[in-house]
Amino acid sequence: MSKPIVSVIMGSDSDRSAMNEALSVLDDFGLPHETKVLSAHRTPDALRDHILGIEERGPEVIIAGAGKAAHLAGAAASLTVIPVIGVPLYSKDFGGLDALLSTVQMPGGVPVATVAVNGAKNAALLAVSMLGLKYPEVQQKLRVYRDQLAQKAASRNQ
Ligand code: RP5
């Protein structure tokens, strides 16, 4: 795998630190990814071009993180049939509840798989899980990861 297999987009440069958790998981699993700051509100044309080009570039899953009136994941989902995982991001006024509702409350027909507020790590793990259906080596790495999680939890009881 050398072409990007996951496309990670975020609404603002200020989202980078929260979204880095997703990039770090993708790196750990050896999944090539592309990253771009794109906004449903500030750069709608660039977002559209980016999403419409995705099938040609290679990504098979999109992770979209945004805060406040977080329409990025939904707007991306409206432009492609590739699965979109939305990451609602924390902001101080409403603690991320605004972004959670904006991301998760999609109208019937255009779903966004939404993780918890600031759940970029889980978004990447969900992408890994989806890709594992197609790539056995990825699924195997996920099994090992889960085994390690279980062992770590069990070791705390010893
Ligand atoms: C959203 O507004 C972004 O995803 C970000 O979480 C939030 C604030 O953006 P900035 O004003 O910091 O650029 O669109």
Side-chain angles (χ1 to χ4, degrees), residues 45-63:
D45 292 340
L47 172 63
R48 186 181 172 83
D49 290 348
H50 183 78
I51 299 300
L52 294 182
I54 267 186
E55 287 178 37
E56 208 171 296
R57 289 196 308 280
E60 298 176 29
V61 185
I62 297 167
I63 297 174

Side-chain angles (χ1 to χ4, degrees), residues 150-158:
Q151 280 166 22
K152 208 167 158 186
S155 72
R156 296 203 178 106
N157 291 326
Q158 286 164 0

Side-chain angles (χ1 to χ4, degrees), residues 19-89:
M19 293 306 289
N20 277 343
E21 290 190 29
L23 304 183
S24 152
V25 170
L26 297 175
D27 286 340
D28 289 348
F29 279 84
L31 296 179
H33 47 83
E34 57 175 31
T35 311
K36 212 148 193 174
V37 173
L38 291 164
S39 165
H41 309 117
R42 291 168 175 159
T43 62
D45 292 340
L47 172 63
R48 186 181 172 83
D49 290 348
H50 183 78
I51 299 300
L52 294 182
I54 267 186
E55 287 178 37
E56 208 171 296
R57 289 196 308 280
E60 298 176 29
V61 185
I62 297 167
I63 297 174
K68 299 191 171 181
H71 297 130
L72 184 64
S78 75
L79 294 166
T80 182
V81 293
I82 291 170
V84 177
I85 303 171
V87 187
L89 296 175

Side-chain angles (χ1 to χ4, degrees), residues 5-26:
I5 196 168
V6 181
S7 185
V8 179
I9 56 177
M10 61 198 86
S12 167
D13 218 34
S14 64
D15 298 330
R16 268 189 207 280
S17 64
M19 293 306 289
N20 277 343
E21 290 190 29
L23 304 183
S24 152
V25 170
L26 297 175

